[in-house]
Amino acid sequence: MRPRTVMRFLVLGVVALAMAILASADAQTLLRTLDPPNPQEWARFGSSLAVGDVNGDGRADIAVGVPYEDVGGNDNQGRAYVFSGATSSLLFTLDTPSFGYSLAVGDVNGDGKGDIAVGTPEEDVGANNYQGRAYVFSGADGSLLLTLDTPNPQELAWFGYSVAVGDVNGDGKGEIAVGAYREDVGGNNEQGRAYVFSGADGSLLLTLDTPNPEVNAFFGYSLAGGDVNGDGKGDIAIGAIWQDVGGYSAGRAYVFSGANGSLLFTLDTPNPQDMAVFANSLAVRDVDGDGKADVAVGAVSEDVGGIAFQGRAYAFSGASGSLLFTLDTPNPQVQGYFGSSLAVGDVDGDGKADVAVGADGEEVGGNDYQGRAYVFSGGPVEPTPTPTDTPRPTNTPTPTSTSMPTPTRPPGVGGTVKLPPAAIAAESGARTDGSGWSAATLVALAGGMATALIALGAGGRYARRRWLR
């Protein structure tokens, strides 16, 4: 395999998937470690993950994206694999160019089994390079159910960079939300968009735009779905990682009603910093047991306590949008990138969603950028106080274009963008569905982790520029 230029800055990620049935807050149990069926250097097995019951045996199965696997002599074509949650055996393999960037699982065709949505943002469509596509495959047999294209065809749209599945119209079938974070909108280059398609027939239901139009907002970089307002229909959280907030390119998350596309609330980082990349990862589920889904948001490049690019994650109430809790890594490190990915699911069986947070830059056992993931308990406990950081000045030095040459075509996982003030940057996270949380870490393991129901991607080496594309 000949890796792309950007891959010189990455290392091979190996995924460790775990769900713990825990008797106490400090127990640690590894249930599964998954390795690629076709080991290859730089394949990046585990760049995206999704979890759900696809074979109807009552246990969640695991879909794993491998965006740079060579297939049939085609360099970096990519693949996705679906493994049994019961036995870890391979259930089936999904192939198409640029597979593995984003994954989501949900019952799209109403057969009671989770189907698999896969984004292929680098796919050429017609004459448009890197326009991107999304596909939906049956969880029962792997057959193709739907092919989705952007309603606004254009080059370099990166449609499919993020995907999510949830029932937004109440018909009992999962709809598919697809992000196109580099689409030009109304004259604004790379403002980005997100679309919601019917799971029944693939028709367009909603087009969602940032409420704050601007160049390079990267709206649609991340997606997640869940019923936030309690109306029985899935709502949609969308990340815009370059959205300008109070003079900082800090990023924002927006939550829209699945019923009509109206804006429910806007989420900002409680610790404003330039280029914090807030909302690079999202997860939505009820963590406090109030019956409404809450929103977990990663800020992968936030400085914490003077430690550069350590990263953070936050939980916001789905009822009000107020901050519930702040999560920090138990192992502070420079460039740890805590918050690189998120997943939520009930791991400890207490009926409340627990939260898995990826830190794919953390050093583990002497291995640089091996990465880790942590699972924190959900539940009504008092949050642990977290010190407020001093905002990073807007003139903080950033990587310049000389630090990483700009490829002739968009590199790796996320392409290139114009960075404020003038840098060129260059990878994705997972993407492509409480009144307080316990601060006790329940599980910490090398590689990446996923919990039930929501996708989590981890593994690989990233500099901050990974998140600035």
Side-chain angles (χ1 to χ4, degrees):
M1 175 185 299
R2 299 185 60 183
R4 304 169 191 271
T5 301
V6 72
M7 297 308 291
R8 296 171 187 169
F9 296 89
L10 307 176
V11 297
L12 175 64
V14 178
V15 152
L17 269 249
M19 295 189 301
I21 305 301
L22 302 174
S24 64
D26 58 356
Q28 297 182 348
T29 304
L30 176 64
L31 296 184
R32 295 283 186 271
T33 298
L34 298 176
D35 291 310
N38 296 291
Q40 293 179 15
E41 208 174 31
W42 303 108
R44 296 203 54 242
F45 180 85
S47 287
S48 56
L49 294 173
V51 181
D53 183 9
V54 302
N55 61 0
D57 65 354
R59 298 191 183 185
D61 307 303
I62 306 107
V64 184
V66 197
Y68 294 107
E69 185 171 316
D70 293 347
V71 180
N74 296 326
D75 285 356
N76 304 318
Q77 175 172 309
R79 261 185 176 145
Y81 297 96
V82 181
F83 298 89
S84 165
T87 65
S88 296
S89 60
L90 182 64
L91 297 179
F92 47 84
T93 300
L94 302 174
D95 285 305
T96 201
S98 75
F99 250 31
Y101 281 90
S102 56
L103 295 167
V105 173
D107 185 7
V108 170
N109 59 2
D111 66 354
K113 298 179 180 180
D115 305 305
I116 304 160
V118 183
T120 61
E122 285 190 333
E123 187 169 334
D124 298 341
V125 180
N128 291 335
N129 293 331
Y130 292 81
Q131 177 172 303
R133 268 193 172 128
Y135 299 89
V136 182
F137 297 88
S138 166
D141 58 15
S143 61
L144 180 64
L145 299 178
L146 294 171
T147 299
L148 303 174
D149 288 303
T150 177
N152 295 287
Q154 55 185 266
E155 279 198 325
L156 301 172
W158 288 72
F159 177 88
Y161 189 78
S162 55
V163 293
V165 177
D167 184 8
V168 303
N169 61 2
D171 66 353
K173 297 180 180 180
E175 277 68 57
I176 307 97
V178 184
Y181 81 99
R182 295 187 66 181
E183 279 198 0
D184 298 341
V185 181
N188 287 339
N189 292 336
E190 298 180 335
Q191 178 173 302
R193 262 191 177 132
Y195 303 92
V196 181
F197 299 88
S198 166
D201 58 13
S203 60
L204 180 66
L205 299 179
L206 294 171
T207 297
L208 300 172
D209 290 309
T210 176
N212 297 288
E214 64 181 74
V215 172
N216 292 338
F218 280 14
F219 179 85
Y221 188 92
S222 55
L223 291 171
D227 185 8
V228 169
N229 60 1
D231 66 354
K233 297 180 180 180
D235 305 305
I236 305 148
I238 303 177
I241 63 168
W242 274 124
Q243 194 85 65
D244 184 79
V245 182
Y248 296 102
S249 294
R252 248 184 186 147
Y254 301 93
V255 181
F256 298 87
S257 165
N260 58 25
S262 62
L263 180 66
L264 298 180
F265 47 81
T266 299
L267 302 175
D268 291 324
T269 176
N271 296 290
Q273 296 178 14
D274 203 26
M275 294 179 291
V277 200
F278 180 81
N280 66 280
S281 57
L282 296 168
V284 178
R285 203 173 174 200
D286 182 10
V287 302
D288 63 354
D290 68 352
K292 296 182 179 181
D294 306 303
V295 186
V297 185
V300 72
S301 290
E302 276 196 11
D303 294 349
V304 180
I307 300 176
F309 316 145
Q310 179 172 304
R312 262 189 175 137
Y314 300 93
F316 297 87
S317 166
S320 65
S322 60
L323 178 67
L324 296 177
F325 194 68
T326 299
L327 289 175
D328 289 311
T329 177
N331 296 289
Q333 296 180 17
V334 173
Q335 294 186 355
Y337 301 119
F338 182 84
S340 56
S341 52
L342 291 169
V344 289
D346 185 8
V347 171
D348 56 6
D350 67 354
K352 298 181 178 67
D354 307 305
V355 181
V357 185
D360 62 8
E362 285 195 357
E363 177 185 322
V364 181
N367 293 333
D368 288 344
Y369 296 92
Q370 177 170 307
R372 266 195 173 122
Y374 303 91
V375 179
F376 299 86
S377 174
V381 298
E382 290 299 320
T384 300
T386 302
T388 300
D389 297 317
T390 301
R392 183 186 304 125
T394 56
N395 63 352
T396 297
T398 57
T400 64
S401 57
T402 57
S403 64
M404 190 180 75
T406 305
T408 55
R409 295 185 62 165
V413 184
T416 57
V417 298
K418 295 172 186 155
L419 300 182
I424 301 289
E427 172 148 314
S428 89
R431 334 279 183 204
T432 174
D433 117 75
S435 62
W437 310 19
S438 167
T441 305
L442 300 183
V443 181
L445 31 128
M449 168 176 282
T451 57
L453 305 177
I454 308 290
L456 161 67
R461 176 180 181 175
Y462 305 86
R464 165 182 282 186
R465 52 184 169 266
R466 166 184 189 264
W467 300 107
L468 307 184
R469 298 212 302 263

